[in-house]
Structures are given as C-alpha cells and as structure tokens.
Amino acid sequence: MPKRTNISFACTRTTAASATASVPHCCHSCARWQPFGARRTELRPPCGDLRQKKATKAELFARIADKWALTIMAMLYTQRLRFSELQQRIQGISQRMLSLTLRKLERDGLVIRTVHAEVPPRVEYELSEFATTLIPHAITLAERAIEHNPEIDAHREAHDKRPR
C-alpha cells in the first residue's frame, strides 16, 4: 500500500512581515496558493470567488448591523459629539468598545473624526454623507421589527411550547 502524504496549502505571496519572518502569507484574495515545498511553477487554484463574495457581504452586513455601530450612528445622526459625550449618552458601552467601534466606523468611511488643535486636544465625531443615507433604511428596518414584534413573540411562544 502506498504511503499517504498530507499536503498543506499556503500562499506564496509575501508581505513585509512574512518576508522577514519566513512565514507564508494566506489570504482569500491571492491566486498563488500552492503546497508547502512546491516549486513556483506548480500553482494551485485559489479559494473560490463565490465564497469570497459571500464573506464580503456578510462582513459588510456585520459592520453596519453591529449593536454598537448602529447606536453610535443614531447618536451622531443629528449632531457632532465628543468621545466623552458619546460615552455618557450610550448606556452600557465601555470606553474600549466605543473607541474600537469609532475606529472601525471611521475606517469604513461612516464616521468623520475631527481633531481641533487646542489644549487640551478636542476630538469630535460626525456622520459622513454616506452614513446619513443608511440611517433611513435602519429606521425602516427598526419600525418593521417593532410593527411585527407581537407576531414574533407569538411564534416564539408556540415554538417554546412544542414538545422536544
């Protein structure tokens, strides 16, 4: 019986970090997947584009539909606010979570961070024009959920009463 060999696949693309550390770089967007130890000419197919598109949609939805992201965007919808004002108005959010969520929203182009050259430094946050177009859709979704909440509760009760 022939001996089985386990083949591990890795991307051969190098980044600044992986070039110095000799660590293979792995990502879904790279088309240079090949088994460890293979020659450069023996390219293997990349991950499927369909899986990549699905992950992108799911990631995008997760960014916008995040509990804290929607709350922060709702607070910034009508006015600019400082970090401390946001923290006071949003019940239950930690300083770290607020900071991480604001950075994520700024990176995605949903929040604009303005630093004023004062002593002490003053930083204000506001929604971008792109984010203001999302708010009416979020409000519509919330209104629909509120409207159908009795139906959802009835379905939950019926489900919980079913024998298991």
Side-chain angles (χ1 to χ4, degrees), residues 1-2 19-20 26 28 34 39 56 58 63 65 97 107 116 118 127 129 134 139 143 148 150 160:
M1 188 159 128
T20 57
C26 298
H28 293 291
Q34 50 182 286
R39 291 190 200 144
T56 304
R63 286 180 193 168
M97 184 54 68
R107 182 174 180 239
H116 299 278
E118 300 173 354
L127 284 186
E129 288 183 35
L134 294 174
I139 291 170
E143 288 172 347
H148 293 283
D160 292 344

Side-chain angles (χ1 to χ4, degrees), residues 55-74:
T56 304
K57 288 177 186 175
E59 182 181 312
L60 181 64
F61 186 73
R63 286 180 193 168
I64 295 169
D66 179 63
K67 172 185 175 181
W68 297 119
L70 279 177
T71 307
I72 291 169
M73 288 170 56

Side-chain angles (χ1 to χ4, degrees), residues 111-157:
V111 169
I112 299 170
R113 180 177 186 257
T114 307
V115 180
H116 299 278
E118 300 173 354
V119 176
R122 182 171 51 114
V123 179
E124 292 181 332
Y125 298 91
E126 63 181 313
L127 284 186
S128 67
E129 288 183 35
F130 172 60
T132 55
T133 62
L134 294 174
I135 295 296
H137 299 292
I139 291 170
T140 304
L141 184 63
E143 288 172 347
R144 183 162 169 80
I146 291 168
E147 178 184 329
H148 293 283
N149 196 33
E151 289 178 50
I152 295 169
D153 288 341
H155 285 289
R156 285 182 178 175
E157 287 178 23

Side-chain angles (χ1 to χ4, degrees), residues 16-50:
S18 65
T20 57
S22 299
V23 177
H25 171 79
C26 298
C27 66
H28 293 291
S29 61
C30 185
R32 295 189 301 214
W33 286 83
Q34 50 182 286
F36 283 115
R39 291 190 200 144
R40 252 181 136 50
T41 57
E42 300 174 23
L43 295 178
R44 301 287 185 231
C47 291
D49 289 339
L50 185 61

